[in-house]
Structure formats: C-alpha cells, structure tokens
Amino acid sequence: MDLSGGEIFQYLNTIFEDLVVESCQFGAGCADQLSLALRGYFKSLKSVALFGSQMEDRQLADIIDALSAHPQLERLELVHIMDSGRKECTALATLCSTASILQELNLSGNEIDDQGVDILVGALPNSALRVLDLSSNRSITTRGYKSLAGLLEAP
C-alpha cells in the first residue's frame, strides 16, 4: 500500500469519530485523497485536527469544504497550517454556517489576517460555535479584533 499517495484513506474504517494528522507534508495527490475520503469513507467524524502539515491553500480549502459532509462535526482544529488563510476562511465561513453542531474551532498559529477575520465574523452569528481560538495569528491587527469584539456585543 502506497501511503504517500493517499491510498491509505480508503482502508480506514467508517466508525472513526476522530481524525488527527500531524506534521505531514502532503504530496501532490494526498490532500486530494483526504478530501475524497472525507466525502465518502468517513461517516461519523466528530473531531478533525490537522497540526503543522503542509499543503497548498486550495487543498486545505477543499478539505474544509469536504467536512460539510459531516453535520455531526463538533470540533475542528487547523493549527500551524494556513499561509494567507483567505480561501480557507471562506470555506470555514461556509462550514460554520452550515455545520449544525460545530462548537469548537481552533485556528491558532496561522497567518490569518483582518480580511480573514472579517470573512469568519460574517458567518459566526448563524453558527453553533462556542469556542474560537485565533491565538498566535500575528497578522490580525486591532481592527480584526474589534470586528471579533462586535460579535460579543450582538444580542
């Protein structure tokens, strides 16, 4: 079995509730294989964590989009994985507004900027999200944090 090409995902059991990928350098097709697996093989994921893995923005946005097939997803951690974060934030905004029970979103240690925060803030009032971790995103300025603070003031 060739693990570098992503074929391993088709062998994973459909009863897993948690998926953790740490410090992985995704090959050309591996991120695409993970997206396909998230759409088809995994059926009951409640928690997904990608830590310190390297892939292109488009690939991560595709993975986030694939998570929309998991309405039971409660927790998502994307830590030290995003470069600019805008494509991913757009995909996350869609996920937050459509995933019925997503409660925790950890986006720490990325390069999300004020524009990415604005994208997320637009989706959060319509979500079930209770925890949002944006720590160590050095590109977020006072303006971005003021945008987030506006969520706390909303009725």
Side-chain angles (χ1 to χ4, degrees):
M1 173 170 31
D2 178 12
L3 301 181
S4 64
E7 289 84 5
I8 188 172
F9 299 120
Q10 65 184 314
Y11 297 102
L12 296 177
N13 197 327
T14 59
I15 62 170
F16 286 117
E17 291 185 355
D18 301 311
L19 174 66
V20 177
V21 178
E22 187 171 352
S23 301
C24 181
Q25 290 193 346
F26 283 85
C30 193
D32 295 332
Q33 288 288 328
L34 178 55
S35 292
L36 290 172
L38 288 168
R39 292 180 201 281
Y41 297 113
F42 293 102
K43 300 295 184 200
S44 56
L45 286 176
K46 292 185 178 182
S47 176
V48 174
L50 301 175
F51 297 103
S53 298
Q54 295 181 356
M55 67 183 80
E56 296 174 12
D57 291 348
R58 176 203 58 82
Q59 292 171 319
L60 183 54
D62 287 347
I63 288 170
I64 295 166
D65 184 54
L67 291 171
S68 64
H70 298 274
Q72 72 285 355
L73 188 67
E74 297 173 359
R75 183 178 189 177
L76 178 59
E77 298 181 78
L78 302 173
V79 178
H80 294 288
I81 194 167
M82 293 186 211
D83 287 332
S84 67
R86 291 193 187 131
K87 287 180 185 178
E88 295 93 337
C89 286
T90 300
L92 285 166
T94 302
L95 180 65
C96 286
S97 62
T98 59
S100 57
I101 62 171
L102 184 65
Q103 298 172 24
E104 295 181 39
L105 181 57
N106 181 350
L107 301 174
S108 62
N110 291 300
E111 295 298 324
I112 297 172
D113 60 12
D114 293 341
Q115 200 170 13
V117 169
D118 290 342
I119 294 166
L120 289 171
V121 165
L124 295 181
N126 300 321
S127 75
L129 203 65
R130 298 291 172 251
V131 176
L132 174 62
D133 185 347
L134 288 168
S135 62
S136 300
N137 277 279
R138 293 178 278 192
S139 298
I140 300 175
T141 68
T142 302
R143 188 186 75 70
Y145 287 114
K146 283 182 180 178
S147 179
L148 282 169
L151 287 174
L152 300 174
E153 296 170 354

